[in-house]
Amino acid sequence: MPKDPETAVLPGPWWFAANEVLAFLLELAALAVLSWWGFSAGGNAALRVVLGVGVPLAAIVVWGLFAAPKARLKPALPFVLLVKAVVLGSSAVALYALGHPVAAIVLAVVVVVNTAVAETFRRDPPVRSGPPASV
């Protein structure tokens, strides 16, 4: 990892980087849960495959267009948060539908807290404290 804060991948204190990693892991978990739900939901095998592959694929496309750090389109923050709420919230609803209500609530709470912290500090990242980096 670079020692210069200007070239660091994730600026700021360790908790900022940890929250960013958690955000990525929550995104991956959302895709996994949506796929799990899709493969469990359909009436016949063909519909289960379509839902199991199609739902997470649709989430990936929407996320990549609007909510990813390097999104193709750059909508205003309220729309980005709406997309995140739909994709990540859908994974909590899917987890509930799969018969895991406690896990769904925990996932929803973690997503809300993580997103609030991430969006707050992405707009105004904390400054890395400590002695200046040596060259």
Side-chain angles (χ1 to χ4, degrees), residues 30-116:
L31 295 176
V33 169
L34 291 172
S35 182
W36 178 20
W37 172 84
F39 281 113
S40 301
N44 61 38
L47 182 57
R48 285 194 304 269
V49 169
V50 168
L51 290 174
V53 174
V55 171
L57 185 60
I60 289 169
V61 169
V62 170
W63 194 275
L65 286 173
F66 304 109
K70 294 184 180 182
R72 305 258 311 164
L73 305 172
K74 298 290 185 188
L77 181 60
F79 187 75
V80 172
L81 293 176
L82 176 65
V83 169
K84 289 183 176 191
V86 168
V87 172
L88 298 172
S90 295
S91 69
V93 171
L95 198 53
Y96 184 87
L98 287 164
H100 301 282
V102 174
I105 292 168
V106 169
L107 177 63
V109 169
V110 171
V111 163
V112 168
V113 171
N114 173 264
T115 302

Side-chain angles (χ1 to χ4, degrees), residues 4 7 22 25 41 54 67-69 89 94 99 113 121 129:
D4 181 11
T7 61
L22 178 59
L25 294 175
V113 171
F121 290 105
S129 60

Side-chain angles (χ1 to χ4, degrees), residues 17-30:
N19 197 63
E20 292 294 308
V21 170
L22 178 59
F24 180 68
L25 294 175
L26 288 170
E27 294 159 15
L28 292 178

Side-chain angles (χ1 to χ4, degrees), residues 6-22:
E6 297 298 320
T7 61
V9 176
L10 294 173
W14 67 268
W15 56 264
F16 179 75
N19 197 63
E20 292 294 308
V21 170
L22 178 59

